[in-house]
Amino acid sequence: MEILLQYFIDYRYLFIFLGTFIEGEVVLIAGGFLVYEGHLDFPVLVGIATLAAIIGDNFFYWVGRRQRLGARYPWATRLLNFIGEHRLFKGEDFVRRHGGKSVFVVRFFYGLRFAGAMTAGLLGMEIGRFFFFNLVGSLAWAVVIGMLGYLFGQSLEALAHGMKLAEVGLLLVLAGVLAIYFLTKKKK
């Protein structure tokens, strides 16, 4: 485990970029934790995650767009089958009702980010509109999820500190119970 952690620290920029290219919440939370530990700067984390998310989403947008225009990629067809027609129709309805806002909102639902980008492409959403909402959503997502990782690190430290206090408190309570037990036992 320590070796894996050391690899993650040594190649943190690459891991964060590759991890946030498709989904990346777990990697981004780990990155936020690295920020708390002092191994990474928060603006760098947000910048890398935002860039990777934009590139990944634009890739899936163009795959959806190309599928709409008649190009057929076997792996894209498999991906669409994996997503499921029923989900695609729900996503289509959501994108039609909410437009660009849907690109922003879907980012915060784990596992739907690439499906949302593909759906926007399949429905022919204008690239400028998609890019704007994708940029704003990617930045907001990177800040929020990265901050959750940072707060996770803070909470772990507070918990560890609290455990030390709890251990001392438990020892004092245990010592008090034993003292009362032995004092009452001698009187009998």
Side-chain angles (χ1 to χ4, degrees):
M1 185 70 174
E2 288 179 33
I3 293 172
L4 185 62
L5 181 61
Q6 190 58 47
Y7 276 125
F8 189 79
I9 291 170
D10 290 345
Y11 301 104
R12 59 192 171 268
Y13 302 114
L14 181 63
F15 274 110
I16 290 167
F17 184 86
L18 293 176
T20 55
F21 181 79
I22 294 179
E23 283 299 329
E25 282 80 359
V26 173
V27 172
L28 198 48
I29 288 171
F33 182 75
L34 287 178
V35 168
Y36 180 76
E37 291 289 315
H39 296 290
L40 191 61
D41 292 327
F42 192 71
V44 173
L45 172 70
V46 169
I48 291 171
T50 301
L51 180 65
I54 288 170
I55 292 170
D57 288 350
N58 277 291
F59 171 76
F60 285 108
Y61 171 85
W62 282 107
V63 167
R65 186 79 169 219
R66 298 282 297 168
Q67 290 286 103
R68 177 177 188 255
L69 297 174
R72 294 290 175 240
Y73 303 108
W75 56 269
T77 304
R78 276 185 253 137
L79 184 61
L80 287 171
N81 289 337
F82 174 74
I83 293 169
E85 235 177 275
H86 66 286
R87 285 191 191 100
L88 193 59
F89 289 133
K90 286 179 184 177
E92 181 178 339
D93 183 48
F94 187 75
V95 171
R96 286 192 194 281
R97 276 187 292 145
H98 300 287
K101 291 181 287 187
S102 66
V103 175
F104 180 90
V105 171
V106 79
R107 166 157 316 284
F108 292 92
F109 291 97
Y110 182 77
L112 295 179
R113 192 176 101 198
F114 67 89
M118 267 181 103
T119 303
L122 277 167
L123 294 177
M125 182 182 287
E126 180 186 303
I127 184 63
R129 184 175 181 78
F130 174 79
F131 187 79
F132 172 75
F133 281 100
N134 189 34
L135 172 68
V136 173
S138 295
L139 184 60
W141 171 78
V143 168
V144 168
I145 304 298
M147 189 54 74
L148 285 175
Y150 183 86
L151 294 173
F152 174 70
Q154 244 180 356
S155 298
L156 276 180
E157 186 175 311
L159 182 64
H161 180 69
M163 290 300 281
K164 290 175 186 168
L165 289 175
E167 289 171 0
V168 170
L170 183 63
L171 285 174
L172 288 174
V173 168
L174 185 58
V177 168
L178 287 174
I180 291 171
Y181 173 76
F182 286 119
L183 287 174
T184 58
K185 187 178 178 184
K186 284 185 180 180
K187 288 183 181 179
K188 292 181 181 178

